[in-house]
Amino acid sequence: MEGRRFNGLKRQVIHRGVITEKESEELLEIIKSQETKKIKQGAYHALCGKKFLHENYRPARARWHVTRAIYAHPLRLDNYAMFAMSFLPPGLIRWLYRKKKEIGYE
């Protein structure tokens, strides 16, 4: 729940270009309550998995990294989707990424 609140609040502040004192305190409290090492590790492995799928097609290496990202954050469904994508042929993965960019989902 904190992740949703954090992301929503962050988007509002960025869109407005101004942050209130109350918002800054709330964001700071959420950041302090998070386990940042685990978050950073999960994000790193997810990014590596994406790179090994999309830019440098090495599916076994991608699966290794995505598995580590899943261990760090077992409830993130995008990591499971990326793991499933690692079994697809490279042409289909490139096509999916192009479609993702076309609809504006990045």
Side-chain angles (χ1 to χ4, degrees), residues 22-84:
K22 181 183 176 193
E23 290 169 334
S24 67
E25 289 173 4
E26 188 174 353
L27 286 171
L28 187 58
E29 285 300 315
I30 293 171
I31 289 169
K32 286 180 180 179
S33 70
Q34 292 175 337
E35 189 180 336
T36 57
K37 182 178 179 184
K38 194 174 186 180
I39 292 170
K40 287 180 182 179
Q41 285 178 342
Y44 168 77
H45 286 296
L47 178 65
C48 288
K50 178 183 171 189
K51 296 292 182 185
F52 280 120
L53 272 183
H54 182 250
E55 295 176 10
N56 182 7
Y57 186 72
R58 293 176 60 194
R61 189 84 169 154
R63 281 191 288 274
W64 186 88
H65 280 288
V66 173
T67 301
R68 297 307 176 274
I70 290 171
Y71 285 139
H73 293 285
L75 300 178
R76 291 213 41 144
L77 298 179
D78 54 344
N79 289 332
Y80 293 100
M82 196 171 3
F83 186 83

Side-chain angles (χ1 to χ4, degrees), residues 85-97:
M85 283 178 59
S86 71
F87 292 99
L88 299 175
L92 185 55
I93 291 173
R94 282 192 300 273
W95 180 83
L96 287 170
Y97 273 102

